[in-house]
Amino acid sequence: MARETWATRLGFILAAVGSAVGLGNIWRFPWQTAENGGSAFLVVYLGIVLLVGVPGLLGEFVIGRRANKSPVGALRELSGQRSWGFIGMFSVITGISLLSFYSVVGGWIMRYLLESGVSLVGSDPAYFTNPGQYFGGVSAGADAALYHLLFLGLTALIVFAGIRKGIELGTKIMMPAVLVLLGGLAAWAATQPNAAAGYAFFLRFDPSVISENFFAILGPAAGQALFTLSLGAGTMITYASYLGEDRSLPFDGSAIAVLNTSVGVITGLVVFPLLFSQGINPTETGTGPGALFVGLAGAFSQLPAGTLIATAFFAVVTLAALSSSISMLEIPVAFLVDEYDVSRKRAVAGMAGLVAVTGTVCAFEPSIFGFVAGTLVNILLTAGLAAFLLFVGWVMGRDAIEELASGAGSLGRSLSTPWLFAVGIVLPLFLVFTLLTHFGVDGSIGFWRTVGIAVVASAVAFFGLRRPESVV
Ligand code: PHE
């Protein structure tokens, strides 16, 4: 059977934006910002999105479009070596790990959405009375598992319907809805009393906070940038594998990064004014995955028309989460379809069945959930992107330049050599360094020694991968 492709250019962009925009922007971003110094975090994060995120995104696109295969087949075919196929297998593991915790959070959100929607007629949502206690009750255990299965079921249905009729059509409906609802909420939040304090927390730029905390912020900001752009998992390789040669990858990649970052910033413009208007300071109320739910639920309960606003908010989050979860499930599904010729329907049933189990474990065990959502995902994404970019720079070499330039016009051609240098050398070095910080290495041996290890490890990788015809 012929491999599927996107029907339209906009379809691909919206699907990739749909993958990027998700709980990372709406749930993880405000929580990470609050935990890491507010606007200082924002600035470092924006820098990393621009300098690492965009070139990294192009790296994944180049692999996927060149091979027209999902990561395992793509790395094996383009290198002609089976061992690269094994490295590609990590993307399958990453996709399953991501979806296992993501689907649990998606379940929490659907639970809040249903609770708010039902309360539009009738009494206040149950979480208004005691937001902390409510969240404690629904975030782990049978309840969380049930809603996780519901969210996973919806995800599977969309992926089941295929690239054009499922993912493309779904994101074409979901993404505009997210943008309109979120814009409306931001405009409304601006009218709330004390909104200015929220903006100040989020946007006032204080250089001293950055200079004092730069290295502490760097790791979380890099993790957040990769997570939010869906980098390192092979999602973007997979999505680009359904692309034709006529699109400009640099244009599409930049559009995706700009749209994704805008959604993150607009979400901040909703969340922080709302919290501050109700006297809730996110750094004081404590942080962690639940803080946003508890804080916002508390704010909604005090607002005029709070139930309506809550319904709109949780609807945005549900749609954004779904358009990302489908891209996670597509990684292992495309792997089975490409490598084993399994039908899409069987592949979806098998993989969703597996995640039903792994997600249920996360739903019952907060410690496992925390490990998967934090440490494991950070490590898998950082190591994954480093491997993909080393592959682009040292295994694909000139082919990568040709692929990037294809369909990109003269600007694309002139950018491609500096880009290859960045993805082949600078970015892997940076990623290996952040990987070491995720393992806490810098804490035990100090910053400069960690830099030293990153340089040596990268040099060994460069040396090992060097092909005579590589450009860098
Ligand atoms: N980018 C998604 C979000 O922000 C998460 C994601 C990560 C999706 C990796 C796919 C791959 O929610």
Side-chain angles (χ1 to χ4, degrees), residues 112 116 124-135 188 192 271 273-281 285 290-307 309-310 313-314:
Y112 276 81
S116 318
D124 282 347
Y127 61 81
F128 275 16
T129 328
N130 187 338
Q133 197 180 25
Y134 183 88
F135 181 76
W188 178 84
Q192 293 309 300
V271 169
L274 275 190
L275 292 178
F276 277 86
S277 77
Q278 303 309 321
I280 304 168
N281 183 334
T285 47
L292 182 74
F293 284 89
V294 178
L296 277 178
F300 290 143
S301 71
Q302 295 164 45
L303 289 167
T307 308
I309 299 295
F313 181 81
F314 289 118

Side-chain angles (χ1 to χ4, degrees), residues 149-161:
L149 292 176
L150 187 64
F151 182 84
L152 181 65
L154 279 178
T155 304
L157 270 183
I158 302 177
V159 178
F160 204 72

